[in-house]
Amino acid sequence: MTHFTHLNEKGEAQMVDVTEKEFSQRIAVASGIVQMQPNTLKMIIEGKHKKGDVLATARIAGIQAAKKTADLIPLCHPLFLTSVKLDLSPDIEANCLKIQATCKLSGQTGVEMEALTAVSVAGLTIYDMCKAVDKEMVISSIQLEEKKGGKSGNWQR
């Protein structure tokens, strides 16, 4: 049976004690999609949105979100991230923006939540900036793609 590390023997929520864990290089990659109307995507790609550069704003929001993950997710450890990168790629045929976040550090716990939070907030920022012109946008498929490092080793979707 799987053991939930965020619960103590009484079933109460707890922050996992990582004091004795070894430091290791850790990397996590997460992705997501923001589906939208073709005209909305065209406006973003051409930089003609009246609120400004949607892609640059979403990228900065995702980076900030990764750094604030411990403030947003109650049992996450505050981490010293060494790198946060966001890639926002338009897919004209699918009428969407693909978001990918890569987070890195040398530490005692993984960076999966930081990468997932970066993707989520980047998607929400795109939605916020474009909701006036496209209320039918859908943020979806937010998922971990890959993690490297730590006691559990490497994993890839």
Side-chain angles (χ1 to χ4, degrees):
M1 185 166 125
T2 302
H3 173 71
F4 290 107
T5 58
H6 285 81
L7 298 176
N8 66 17
E9 56 280 344
K10 296 178 186 174
E12 301 166 332
Q14 68 177 1
M15 182 184 240
V16 175
D17 184 353
V18 297
T19 306
E20 301 301 320
K21 289 178 77 175
E22 295 290 325
F23 277 74
S24 68
Q25 297 294 319
R26 296 162 183 267
I27 300 170
V29 180
S31 65
I33 296 170
V34 182
Q35 195 77 38
M36 60 192 67
Q37 299 296 320
N39 288 341
T40 307
L41 184 58
K42 182 179 178 192
M43 184 186 307
I44 292 169
I45 293 169
E46 293 176 356
K48 294 184 178 176
H49 197 290
K50 67 179 181 178
K51 287 189 177 182
D53 188 337
V54 174
L55 299 177
T57 305
R59 187 174 294 107
I60 291 167
I63 292 168
Q64 283 184 295
K67 296 190 306 184
K68 291 291 191 178
T69 299
D71 294 334
L72 300 169
I73 311 295
L75 302 178
C76 282
H77 295 85
L79 301 179
F80 185 75
L81 296 169
T82 57
S83 177
V84 179
K85 294 183 180 170
L86 264 87
D87 181 38
L88 295 107
S89 307
D91 183 336
I92 295 169
E93 290 182 17
N95 297 317
C96 69
L97 283 171
K98 294 180 178 181
I99 305 167
Q100 185 176 70
T102 303
C103 295
K104 297 179 182 180
L105 62 69
S106 177
Q108 296 166 292
T109 187
V111 290
E112 297 92 338
M113 293 308 300
E114 287 70 16
L116 289 162
T117 300
V119 169
S120 299
V121 172
L124 289 168
T125 299
I126 293 164
Y127 190 96
D128 179 53
M129 291 186 75
C130 299
K131 66 183 184 266
V133 295
D134 187 351
K135 293 184 182 6
E136 295 182 14
M137 287 178 290
V138 176
I139 303 167
S140 67
S141 303
I142 297 171
Q143 59 191 17
L144 184 66
E145 296 292 342
E146 179 179 7
K147 72 150 257 9
K148 293 181 182 177
K151 187 172 123 182
S152 64
N154 299 347
W155 177 88
Q156 191 169 19
R157 181 168 298 285

